[in-house]
Amino acid sequence: MIPVAEFKQFTEQQPAFKVLKPWWDVLAEYLTVAMLMIGVFGCTLQVTQDKIICLPSHEPRENLSEAPCQQLLPRGVSEQMGDLREVSGLKNNLDLQQYSFINQLCYETALHWYAKYFPYLVVIHTLIFMVCTSFWFKFPGTSSKIEHFISILGKCFDSPWTTRALSEVSGENHKGPTAGRAMVTVAAAAGPGKAGEGEKEKVLVEPEKVVTEPPAVTLLDKKEGEQAKALFEKVKKFRVHVEEGDILYTMYIRQMVLKVCKFFAILVYNLVYVEKISFLVACRVETSEVTGYASFCCNHTKAHLFSKLAFCYISFVCVYGITCLYTLYWLFHRPLKEYSFRSVREETGMGDIPDVKNDFAFMLHLIDQYDSLYSKRFAVFLSEVSESRLKQLNLNHEWTAEKLRQKLQRNARGRLELALCMLPGLPDTVFELSELEALRLEAICDITFPPGLSQLVHLQELSLLHSPARLPFSSQVFLRDRLKVIRVKCEELREVPLWVFGLRGLDELHLEGLFPPELARAATLESLRELKQLKVLSLRSNAGKVPASVTDVAGHLQRLSLHNDGARLLALNSLKKLAVLRELELVACGLERIPHAVFSLGALQELDLKDNHLRSIEEILSFQHCRKLVTLRLWHNQIAYVPEHVRKLRGLEQLYLNHNKLETLPPQLGMCSGLRLLDVSHNGLRSLPAELGLLQNLQHLALSYNALEFLPDELFSCRKLRTLLLGYNHLRQLSPQVGALRALSRLELKGNQLEALPEELGHCGGLKKAGILVEDTLYEGLPAEVRDRMEVE
């Protein structure tokens, strides 16, 4: 006999194996129990009750299948009832043994096999389903791995180290400076350098060195440290062993495919034969010599109940089959042989948790279906949690809030800015500076903004320069309407965090990075459609065309800057959609001519075409359609001459032509009556047209680094001129008419061949010593009263 104790192992294994049973396996177990009850109930009826009851038929038929037992009442019963005549039964003259013999004979020969064996089939099929569901738990090639994994998983889940590590990494157990000092003490005990596995074990084995904390908040005692050390070793060895193959994954798929095939087979033949369960059964046997009759009409006593049970059974089988089909979908629609701890890394901050594959990954996917907390707690033993947390605590200890507050400065926009560069991480103390308005992070790897970001209520500007950052959803909601300016610089633009494009309150977006060579021509960015308030977009890259997503903000974009680092920019027709654009910069875009799309921008006020390959600007005539254009920058090109069409730009106020190859200026330039600034420095000009004297609104004139030998006297009729830059030319003298420039406040003459300065400079009331740049000998040659007047503050 088998002792009862032998069955104890089955009762003990069930709770342990449940972690690898997703909801569909649990549902399948309940369904198999229900189907088994149906089979057992049917089998019980088969044993305890009569199977079939037959009576002889007085009208034998040649073909009983065409009209089997149409009625049990004798012919003429209805007429007899209508005549109210008494009806008597038929006498068969059969004894009980003969009836029993006929019942058994007709049960074996006339009753359909499905009606006879239905309950037994249900039991057999259900047992097969049960075996298929749990076969991989018993198969020798898989059971050992499963048992080992469940054993390790349970210990990892219940280990005190897991709870402490998660709370320390996520900052839940970080109460204040005391906790920080305790962790620093542990770090000192571990020694300098990267904390490896041996150092982590040292921290765990020697917790008695931490004496600054009460026992309630110390890391681990010696026994718990030894257990954690053993678990780390077990997990590492088990991972190497299990990731080598995929036998668990293959076995689970095979048993699931078998169940699906079994489901279809059961469903098909049950639907076909369920109608064979009939209440009346016609039976014809050659027993006339024994009983005197050959035709019998039989009653299958359990037919009605079996038909109901069959309906219930088919319903359960259909539900079971749906769960099997869903399981197959789950198995094949996603790569279950790869498991990523990305969500755990983002949630806990343990960025070094490795992804796993093969059977290890498959079991973790099954565990997630049961309870994702198991995989999260198990992930602790795949990560260097102590090292990462110690680094963070040491960083917080080094960069205190007081030290960071001393680094606060006003940036160019007048915002209070904190700039951090090349740190091993982002100190949590940053988020204690509630007065912070701008945060600049450079060369800081793997940043994850904690929930403490919500303390920076005045933050409006964020710069991420080679500093990839992750932003939790709660922090993204906090910054979505608050952040106004963001700058992101990375190696490739596909590294730009996606959350950047969800900051709908953004006014300025500055992106710097390269497109991969295969994507440079397509030049696609993430959609900017959510940035409803974006007014400034700056993109420094190697794009082959204007990104298509720019049109998503075409209705409200006011400034667009494209710096292409010398790569040629083509397909500029999309710029026509920027109807309200005021400022456009196309810098280093390899342009050889002014793009025609620019002339369609009716609201354009400033155009910058710096550092291109412009040689001819004949298209300048078309700028008359840009009636609001006031600033035109054509600097750092190869322009050899300015066409006379420039006279059409009467509304132009600033014209930059410096760093080109100009040798002359057209006289028609003097017809640009609105010009206030003219910069033609760093060219090859030898003379100036006298018509420049017509520019009565001119305030700034830059002529440095040319080859001018003289200046036309008409130039000094520009009475509003405040800045005159004439350095590094070939001037031999300065006309005394310079004294007519009463508003002149800055004069550059250094680097010429002047022998003396005219004393009429004393008439320039706004010119002071600090505003005149000239050799000391020439300045000393001025009359004393002129120098005294210039030196008076």
Side-chain angles (χ1 to χ4, degrees), residues 129-140:
F129 279 141
M130 296 175 69
V131 171
C132 291
T133 301
S134 59
F135 180 74
W136 74 317
F137 292 139
K138 306 298 181 182
F139 183 66

Side-chain angles (χ1 to χ4, degrees), residues 212-336:
T212 59
E213 290 288 321
V217 291
T218 53
L219 286 178
L220 293 173
D221 58 28
K222 186 174 181 179
K223 181 179 180 180
E224 292 171 342
E226 291 293 338
Q227 292 176 350
K229 176 182 176 181
L231 280 176
F232 270 110
E233 293 298 326
K234 287 183 179 180
V235 170
K236 290 179 182 178
K237 293 180 180 179
F238 180 76
R239 178 189 172 193
V240 173
H241 175 62
V242 176
E243 282 191 321
E244 293 177 352
D246 59 351
I247 185 172
L248 296 176
Y249 177 75
T250 304
M251 184 61 65
Y252 192 85
I253 289 182
R254 287 177 179 176
Q255 70 180 29
M256 191 56 61
V257 171
L258 180 60
K259 288 198 294 184
V260 171
C261 296
K262 184 72 174 177
F263 155 69
F264 282 113
I266 293 174
L267 185 64
V268 169
Y269 91 79
N270 273 274
L271 292 177
V272 171
Y273 291 117
V274 69
E275 62 180 10
K276 299 299 182 179
I277 302 178
S278 59
F279 185 76
L280 297 179
V281 179
C283 177
R284 182 175 180 83
V285 290
E286 299 299 331
T287 60
S288 57
E289 295 82 359
V290 179
T291 62
Y293 301 96
S295 299
F296 298 89
C297 187
C298 302
N299 172 21
H300 185 200
T301 58
K302 293 176 286 295
H304 180 72
L305 184 57
F306 276 9
S307 63
K308 301 300 181 182
L309 292 178
F311 175 77
C312 294
Y313 175 65
I314 293 174
S315 300
F316 284 129
V317 168
C318 290
V319 177
Y320 190 93
I322 292 174
T323 60
C324 293
L325 294 175
Y326 174 80
T327 306
L328 284 181
Y329 168 77
W330 180 80
L331 287 170
F332 293 111
H333 93 285
R334 54 184 298 184
L336 297 180

Side-chain angles (χ1 to χ4, degrees), residues 243-438:
E243 282 191 321
E244 293 177 352
D246 59 351
I247 185 172
L248 296 176
Y249 177 75
T250 304
M251 184 61 65
Y252 192 85
I253 289 182
R254 287 177 179 176
Q255 70 180 29
M256 191 56 61
V257 171
L258 180 60
K259 288 198 294 184
V260 171
C261 296
K262 184 72 174 177
F263 155 69
F264 282 113
I266 293 174
L267 185 64
V268 169
Y269 91 79
N270 273 274
L271 292 177
V272 171
Y273 291 117
V274 69
E275 62 180 10
K276 299 299 182 179
I277 302 178
S278 59
F279 185 76
L280 297 179
V281 179
C283 177
R284 182 175 180 83
V285 290
E286 299 299 331
T287 60
S288 57
E289 295 82 359
V290 179
T291 62
Y293 301 96
S295 299
F296 298 89
C297 187
C298 302
N299 172 21
H300 185 200
T301 58
K302 293 176 286 295
H304 180 72
L305 184 57
F306 276 9
S307 63
K308 301 300 181 182
L309 292 178
F311 175 77
C312 294
Y313 175 65
I314 293 174
S315 300
F316 284 129
V317 168
C318 290
V319 177
Y320 190 93
I322 292 174
T323 60
C324 293
L325 294 175
Y326 174 80
T327 306
L328 284 181
Y329 168 77
W330 180 80
L331 287 170
F332 293 111
H333 93 285
R334 54 184 298 184
L336 297 180
K337 296 171 68 174
E338 298 176 358
Y339 188 89
S340 174
F341 286 99
R342 182 177 59 182
S343 60
V344 179
R345 290 194 290 262
E346 294 176 354
E347 182 179 354
T348 63
M350 296 184 291
D352 59 342
I353 301 177
D355 295 337
V356 296
K357 58 183 181 179
N358 289 336
D359 282 341
F360 201 7
F362 178 63
M363 286 190 290
L364 289 173
H365 280 294
L366 289 179
I367 288 176
D368 282 343
Q369 297 297 322
Y370 179 76
D371 190 348
S372 59
L373 182 60
Y374 277 87
S375 59
K376 176 183 176 181
R377 296 176 70 87
F378 187 78
V380 172
F381 292 89
L382 296 172
S383 169
E384 298 293 338
V385 291
S386 296
E387 176 187 1
S388 61
R389 186 54 186 164
L390 283 176
K391 286 183 178 180
Q392 185 64 37
L393 290 177
N394 289 336
L395 189 65
N396 295 341
H397 180 74
E398 179 183 359
W399 293 93
T400 61
E402 291 74 16
K403 184 176 180 179
L404 292 175
R405 192 169 278 109
Q406 294 175 1
K407 292 177 62 66
L408 294 178
Q409 294 180 352
R410 295 284 177 181
N411 61 11
R413 298 175 179 268
R415 295 190 175 115
L416 201 60
E417 183 179 66
L418 174 63
L420 299 177
C421 180
M422 299 184 67
L423 294 182
L426 183 62
D428 293 333
T429 49
V430 170
F431 307 103
E432 299 179 16
L433 308 178
S434 58
E435 68 273 21
L436 195 63
E437 297 177 328

